[in-house]
Amino acid sequence: MTYTADEVMAVEAARRIGDGAVCFVGIGLPSLAANLARRTHAPNSVLVYESGTIGAKPYELPLSIGDGELAETADAVVTVPEMFAYWLQGGRIDVGFLGAAQIDRHGNLNSTVIGDYDRPAVRLPGGGGAPEIALGVRDVFVMLRHSRRAFVEKLDFTTSLGDRVRVVVTDLGVLEPRDGELALTQLHPGVDPEQACEATGWDLRLASDVRETDPPSDEELCALRSLRTKGDA
Amino acid sequence: MTYTADEVMAVEAARRIGDGAVCFVGIGLPSLAANLARRTHAPNSVLVYESGTIGAKPYELPLSIGDGELAETADAVVTVPEMFAYWLQGGRIDVGFLGAAQIDRHGNLNSTVIGDYDRPAVRLPGGGGAPEIALGVRDVFVMLRHSRRAFVEKLDFTTSLGDRVRVVVTDLGVLEPRDGELALTQLHPGVDPEQACEATGWDLRLASDVRETDPPSDEELCALRSLRTKGDA
Amino acid sequence: MPIVPLSDAIRELVHDGDTVALEGFTHLIPHAAGHEIIRQGRRDLTLIRMTPDVVYDQMIGMGCARKLVFSWGGNPGVGSLHRLRDAVENGWPGPLELEEHSHAGMAAAWSAGASNLPFGVLRGYEGGDLPARTRVARITCPFTGEELAAVPSHRPDVGIVHSQRADRHGNVQLWGILGVQKECLLASARSIVTVEEIIDELTPVAGAIVLPAWVVGAVCVVPRGAHPSYAHGYYDRDNDFYLAWDAISRDRDAFRAWMDEHVLAAVPA
Amino acid sequence: MPIVPLSDAIRELVHDGDTVALEGFTHLIPHAAGHEIIRQGRRDLTLIRMTPDVVYDQMIGMGCARKLVFSWGGNPGVGSLHRLRDAVENGWPGPLELEEHSHAGMAAAWSAGASNLPFGVLRGYEGGDLPARTRVARITCPFTGEELAAVPSHRPDVGIVHSQRADRHGNVQLWGILGVQKECLLASARSIVTVEEIIDELTPVAGAIVLPAWVVGAVCVVPRGAHPSYAHGYYDRDNDFYLAWDAISRDRDAFRAWMDEHVLAAVPA
């Protein structure tokens, strides 16, 4: 089966979710990846949405983080203050997904502004849960489409820190920390290293063991597409 | 109808609960008084128990603060941390009832130890909610049987402060703050001032306008007795 | 205050210059109340909300707000809030001051406000550029010496939430995703709750919370008062509207025309 | 850890010298778990509970405890805990160290523990003799300059609670008076939940909370495991027992005889 760049991102991120992992997921690609993992190799993974739903099992992908189906299918619904205090800060989350407008070589993220903070060229939505997710979960997974605009030498604003970023899944490949900075460790099928370097605003290092991503299997693609009946930004 | 000393205490305390007052009640006489008020002149008063039940409407008096009927009849049940943070500390309680083993002329209370703290003659249950009730509600009502052992010149231990004590209802009469200390303002029917002074460990002042408590009416006594089908320590 | 029309509640309780929070985490967002504030032309409001979305975009675009206190200001699952961006990037229709937090910080500030505490404590605001741009302080644990973050609590003049239903006494019941609605209401000096319906007696619902009448200011009956947000058990989220809002709100004139037709010309609830 | 017999859970998870909390606010007090700790002869425990009542009286009288952290230690509606008093007043069967708080302080310490914070903040511990006798510090609001109290958070080695039921995966459901059970379980390094029954699937119950299996240590099926406390929806509080305990516990020999017959000689759950 053929597949899109977004699909390979979702599939590759999903593969890295261990069965039983407790995942703090946002909307969009992270929600897609986490739900895919739950439908394939990680049926016991737990989806936690910051809206307060713990163990949500949506049949369709939610458009927003607070869709009703999340509450209806959850093991528990807690208030937002409880979610952030008892659950995220409580250190109970294994994997946190983050997106951003910009990332640097250390995995620091910007989701606040492009340009100067006081007179921004683009005012982005802001950090939301990211600053504390970035420090409060065991492993941070970043999902971000690869471009020089996004993979920058210097962030316009540091919204969250990269200390716990274990993997960055892009539409071209995968970056992981090696010797203190993110290096390319995987390329998706049909992508060559120059493409990834070209789309990166810093001098991207290639890991010594760069490998090709296994192409999405038919099973993965079917499971993924059956999820995508609702919008997924 | 004839009545007991405990009954006149409960009736007199109940009378002082305004309709609509939100009352933080403990078990025993306070619960009896607050429930009586709700059954008589103050049907809109709200009973809050520190176990987390808000707006409880027990049919029978509970033996403990956490009896199931309190939860079943409550408008809301909240956790104990929420009760103390959002509701008591939140400043939403009008009247808090307190008992104690000892009281001094300023309304300070001891419910911790008799004797030295480290080698007590009697280890009492301790403060429980009292320290923060004493400072967190608008008006503190104390209910305490009158005796020299309880009404003392000097507390063995100060568990809670008397700053907001508005009234002390005893089995002999009523004390209220006058010119910086508790003075006798009411005597129950058949009690003479000497009895009250004799039962007080400090030189009890009589207010200039000491009056006799209205005897419990038949209606009050009937309502009270219909409540007392379960134990009430 | 008894059960009153929404227009009366807004007139009496929301004043120019007030700090106002219309809370809701995707679910139960009090859109109708926001629209009434717009109709009544309130100005210079400081708006607080974790996730300002379309209704705050509308209030900002209509010039109600002087300042926004928030942690994530986007159209969930869609993208930007164009009126918010226009205000911040271009000062249209007027400048908008921002006080920006993380979700964890906002949540702690709401809990602290509901608890009558002046600040909330959390592990957060460590590193990055946010701490320098917001109101946060470091605080030291007196027992362990650990450093933590302190955020000032939220104590709005008016808190506004939407819920499914109330009884005739004004006891309010709310279920589904609970967000920070209870905290918002308890932290506020005055409050308004819009409800889908009034019933004789509240019956138990799994997952529901009840806010007793004596902590609620005004209760206003506004069926579909959360639309295009949703009311769990009553109607679904109008995802199409959120998608459509992206185009409506990109252009100042299109935005004004839409507001004129759908909000200003609408009959108050 | 799967669903296991109570005796196995206590053996594996509760060690001599541990800090252990068997929480419950009158409702759902884990008596059976306390009895198993007594049967297994644990020693030098630091016991935490807001309202130590009969089961703690029993554990103290049987010599399990070195220290008690609490806010109200009585027999609710009845009077004293005579074994607790005998330990404090006479050092029998051994000395008992006390760390005494107010309910508000204990509640804040539980919330802080569940939140992975080293301390909780509250308005309290102002004046009186308690602050000098306990672990409390003053803390200053960095924004307003107000002085507040800080209490060290509770972080027990083991938290033990009782609840109505769990499903086969170990997801626990609990309703009625909620107390501090969730906080106790989340604040503890290890945890044990005794339940009335295991069912195939948890169905919604108004007012219920669910603790997912992945935050719960061991689940043990112990019908009537809260008796003489109660399990809302299963059985009522045995008020007569609480009244009877007053006489049983006044006398050391009567107490030992009762414990021998009803606890030590009983078959483990």
Side-chain angles (χ1 to χ4, degrees):
Chain A
M1 289 165 74
T2 59
Y3 48 85
T4 67
D6 275 7
E7 285 176 334
V8 72
M9 281 177 79
V11 166
E12 185 55 29
R15 288 170 178 165
R16 290 163 181 268
I17 296 173
D19 196 18
V22 178
C23 305
F24 207 79
V25 284
I27 288 305
L29 282 171
S31 181
L32 193 59
N35 276 289
L36 176 60
R38 204 174 56 77
R39 299 283 186 97
T40 53
H41 68 281
N44 300 307
S45 60
V46 178
L47 274 55
V48 178
Y49 288 83
E50 65 192 5
S51 55
T53 54
I54 296 171
K57 302 159 201 71
Y59 307 108
E60 298 186 328
L61 274 191
L63 178 68
S64 95
I65 212 160
D67 274 17
E69 201 185 344
L70 297 177
E72 276 157 19
T73 64
D75 293 327
V77 178
V78 302
T79 67
V80 165
E82 180 180 325
M83 175 55 71
F84 282 92
Y86 287 8
W87 299 83
L88 178 62
Q89 184 173 272
R92 294 171 227 289
I93 311 293
D94 298 315
V95 177
F97 283 91
L98 293 176
Q102 294 179 331
I103 185 170
D104 71 14
R105 67 175 78 215
H106 301 296
N108 300 312
L109 301 176
N110 172 21
S111 52
T112 304
V113 288
I114 302 296
D116 180 63
Y117 186 82
D118 288 320
R119 300 182 145 276
V122 182
R123 173 63 228 196
L124 302 165
E132 283 78 20
I133 292 171
L135 296 171
V137 304
R138 196 187 60 201
D139 300 323
V140 174
F141 288 12
V142 177
M143 298 182 75
L144 195 54
R145 293 183 189 93
H146 224 133
S147 78
R148 294 184 78 86
R149 220 175 46 162
F151 287 68
V152 298
E153 181 64 43
K154 187 172 168 9
L155 301 179
D156 289 12
F157 190 97
T158 302
T159 309
S160 68
L161 301 183
D163 305 34
R164 299 191 182 185
V165 171
R166 310 297 181 210
V167 64
V168 180
V169 180
T170 83
D171 49 346
L172 300 182
V174 173
L175 284 67
E176 294 173 87
R178 291 277 193 277
D179 303 323
E181 71 172 67
L182 293 169
L184 189 76
T185 56
Q186 274 179 235
L187 285 164
H188 298 327
V191 181
D192 61 40
E194 290 67 36
Q195 258 179 287
C197 292
E198 186 57 38
T200 303
W202 71 83
D203 186 15
L204 179 64
R205 288 191 206 157
L206 273 56
S208 55
D209 54 347
V210 175
R211 67 176 185 87
E212 185 175 292
T213 304
D214 293 333
S217 69
D218 288 358
E219 190 206 339
E220 286 168 328
L221 289 170
C222 287
L224 184 64
R225 287 167 191 172
S226 76
L227 277 166
R228 301 187 67 158
T229 49
K230 259 186 180 170
D232 57 272
Chain B
M1 289 165 78
T2 58
Y3 48 87
T4 67
D6 274 8
E7 285 175 335
V8 72
M9 281 177 80
V11 166
E12 186 56 27
R15 288 170 177 165
R16 290 164 181 266
I17 297 174
D19 197 17
V22 178
C23 304
F24 206 80
V25 284
I27 289 304
L29 283 170
S31 180
L32 193 60
N35 275 289
L36 177 61
R38 202 174 56 77
R39 299 282 187 97
T40 54
H41 69 281
N44 300 307
S45 59
V46 177
L47 272 56
V48 178
Y49 288 83
E50 64 191 5
S51 55
T53 54
I54 296 172
K57 302 160 202 71
Y59 306 108
E60 296 187 329
L61 273 193
L63 177 68
S64 95
I65 213 161
D67 273 16
E69 201 186 343
L70 297 177
E72 277 158 18
T73 63
D75 293 327
V77 178
V78 301
T79 67
V80 165
E82 179 180 325
M83 175 56 71
F84 281 92
Y86 287 7
W87 298 84
L88 178 61
Q89 184 172 273
R92 293 172 228 288
I93 311 292
D94 299 316
V95 177
F97 282 91
L98 293 176
Q102 294 179 331
I103 185 171
D104 72 12
R105 68 176 76 215
H106 301 297
N108 301 313
L109 301 175
N110 173 21
S111 51
T112 304
V113 286
I114 302 298
D116 179 63
Y117 185 83
D118 288 318
R119 302 182 144 273
V122 182
R123 174 63 228 196
L124 302 165
E132 283 77 23
I133 292 171
L135 296 171
V137 304
R138 196 187 61 202
D139 300 322
V140 174
F141 288 12
V142 177
M143 298 181 75
L144 195 54
R145 293 182 190 94
H146 224 131
S147 77
R148 293 184 79 87
R149 221 175 44 164
F151 287 68
V152 297
E153 181 64 43
K154 186 170 169 9
L155 300 179
D156 288 11
F157 190 97
T158 302
T159 309
S160 69
L161 301 182
D163 305 34
R164 298 190 182 186
V165 171
R166 309 300 180 208
V167 63
V168 180
V169 179
T170 83
D171 50 345
L172 299 182
V174 173
L175 284 68
E176 293 172 87
R178 290 279 193 276
D179 304 323
E181 71 171 67
L182 293 169
L184 188 77
T185 57
Q186 274 177 236
L187 285 164
H188 297 328
V191 180
D192 61 40
E194 289 68 36
Q195 259 180 287
C197 292
E198 187 56 37
T200 305
W202 70 83
D203 187 16
L204 179 64
R205 287 192 205 157
L206 273 55
S208 55
D209 54 348
V210 175
R211 65 176 185 85
E212 184 175 294
T213 304
D214 292 333
S217 70
D218 288 358
E219 190 206 338
E220 287 168 327
L221 289 170
C222 287
L224 184 64
R225 288 167 190 174
S226 75
L227 277 166
R228 301 187 69 157
T229 49
K230 262 186 180 170
D232 58 89
Chain C
M1 185 180 257
I3 294 161
V4 296
L6 175 59
S7 53
D8 292 358
I10 298 292
R11 188 169 301 111
E12 282 193 44
L13 299 179
V14 182
H15 315 127
D16 284 357
D18 275 354
T19 297
V20 181
L22 290 81
E23 265 293 359
F25 212 90
T26 307
H27 181 214
L28 291 176
I29 296 163
H31 275 262
H35 290 174
E36 184 59 27
I37 290 172
I38 292 169
R39 272 193 296 273
Q40 293 195 16
R42 288 294 174 283
R43 287 293 175 271
D44 294 322
L45 302 180
T46 293
L47 295 177
I48 303 181
R49 193 169 142 203
M50 293 186 68
T51 55
D53 68 354
V54 168
V55 69
Y56 271 30
D57 208 35
Q58 294 170 343
M59 294 172 76
I60 290 163
M62 295 300 283
C64 301
R66 184 184 69 72
K67 180 177 175 181
L68 176 67
V69 182
F70 77 112
S71 42
W72 192 85
N75 184 342
V78 179
S80 285
L81 292 177
H82 299 290
R83 295 299 96 223
L84 167 58
R85 283 187 54 182
D86 203 8
V88 173
E89 295 168 13
N90 309 306
W92 191 92
L96 182 70
E97 185 186 340
L98 297 185
E99 180 182 325
E100 184 161 5
H101 287 276
S102 64
H103 277 351
M106 288 287 281
W110 275 127
S111 282
S115 303
N116 186 28
L117 290 174
F119 67 102
V121 177
L122 72 156
R123 296 185 184 277
Y125 296 83
E126 292 173 39
D129 292 328
L130 186 59
R133 294 291 183 174
T134 191
R135 294 177 69 207
V136 64
R138 306 305 295 175
I139 195 161
T140 304
C141 172
F143 307 103
T144 66
E146 275 178 278
E147 275 226 338
L148 297 130
V151 287
S153 61
H154 292 326
R155 302 305 302 262
D157 297 308
V158 194
I160 304 178
V161 303
H162 186 74
S163 86
Q164 281 97 341
R165 58 192 198 177
D167 67 17
R168 297 189 186 285
H169 306 291
N171 297 300
V172 167
Q173 194 179 35
L174 184 157
W175 64 93
I177 285 173
L178 301 170
V180 289
Q181 273 90 328
K182 180 189 270 191
E183 286 75 15
C184 172
L185 192 140
L186 294 179
S188 299
R190 305 187 289 279
S191 65
I192 299 171
V193 182
T194 57
V195 296
E196 291 294 324
E197 61 172 341
I198 299 282
I199 58 174
D200 284 334
E201 197 180 355
L202 299 179
T203 47
V205 174
I209 57 170
V210 171
L211 292 157
W214 47 276
V215 294
V216 175
V219 172
C220 312
V221 186
V222 189
R224 294 185 67 78
H227 178 270
S229 170
Y230 71 105
H232 200 125
Y234 286 73
Y235 46 93
D236 289 336
R237 192 168 188 272
D238 186 351
N239 286 329
D240 290 341
F241 181 86
Y242 282 89
L243 292 164
W245 183 252
D246 192 66
I248 296 165
S249 62
R250 268 179 199 274
D251 178 79
R252 293 176 184 172
D253 293 334
F255 164 72
R256 281 302 310 228
W258 191 94
M259 293 300 292
D260 282 346
E261 181 180 348
H262 294 92
V263 177
L264 297 183
V267 178
Chain D
M1 185 179 257
I3 295 161
V4 296
L6 176 59
S7 53
D8 292 357
I10 298 294
R11 188 168 302 112
E12 282 192 45
L13 300 178
V14 182
H15 315 127
D16 285 355
D18 275 354
T19 296
V20 181
L22 290 82
E23 265 292 0
F25 212 91
T26 305
H27 181 214
L28 291 176
I29 296 162
H31 276 261
H35 290 174
E36 184 59 27
I37 290 172
I38 292 169
R39 272 193 296 271
Q40 294 195 17
R42 289 293 174 283
R43 288 292 176 272
D44 293 324
L45 302 179
T46 293
L47 295 177
I48 303 182
R49 191 167 145 205
M50 293 186 67
T51 54
D53 68 354
V54 168
V55 70
Y56 271 30
D57 208 34
Q58 294 170 343
M59 292 172 77
I60 290 164
M62 295 300 283
C64 302
R66 184 185 68 73
K67 180 177 174 181
L68 176 67
V69 182
F70 77 111
S71 42
W72 192 86
N75 185 343
V78 179
S80 286
L81 293 176
H82 298 290
R83 295 298 96 223
L84 167 59
R85 282 187 55 181
D86 203 9
V88 174
E89 296 168 13
N90 309 307
W92 191 92
L96 182 70
E97 186 186 340
L98 296 183
E99 179 181 325
E100 183 161 6
H101 287 276
S102 65
H103 277 350
M106 288 286 281
W110 275 127
S111 283
S115 303
N116 187 28
L117 290 174
F119 66 103
V121 177
L122 73 156
R123 295 184 185 278
Y125 296 82
E126 292 174 38
D129 292 328
L130 186 59
R133 294 290 182 175
T134 191
R135 294 176 69 206
V136 64
R138 307 303 296 174
I139 195 161
T140 304
C141 173
F143 307 103
T144 66
E146 275 178 277
E147 275 227 338
L148 297 129
V151 287
S153 61
H154 293 326
R155 302 305 301 261
D157 296 307
V158 194
I160 303 177
V161 304
H162 186 74
S163 87
Q164 280 97 342
R165 58 192 197 176
D167 66 18
R168 298 191 185 284
H169 306 290
N171 297 300
V172 167
Q173 194 179 36
L174 184 158
W175 65 92
I177 286 173
L178 301 170
V180 289
Q181 274 91 327
K182 181 189 271 192
E183 286 75 15
C184 172
L185 192 140
L186 294 180
S188 299
R190 306 186 289 279
S191 64
I192 298 171
V193 182
T194 56
V195 297
E196 291 295 323
E197 61 172 340
I198 300 283
I199 58 173
D200 285 333
E201 197 180 356
L202 299 178
T203 47
V205 174
I209 57 171
V210 171
L211 291 158
W214 47 276
V215 294
V216 174
V219 172
C220 311
V221 186
V222 189
R224 294 185 66 78
H227 177 271
S229 170
Y230 71 106
H232 200 124
Y234 286 72
Y235 46 91
D236 289 336
R237 193 168 188 274
D238 186 351
N239 286 329
D240 290 341
F241 181 86
Y242 282 90
L243 292 164
W245 182 252
D246 192 65
I248 297 165
S249 61
R250 268 178 200 276
D251 178 78
R252 292 176 185 172
D253 293 333
F255 163 73
R256 282 300 313 226
W258 192 94
M259 293 301 293
D260 283 345
E261 180 180 347
H262 294 92
V263 177
L264 296 184
V267 179

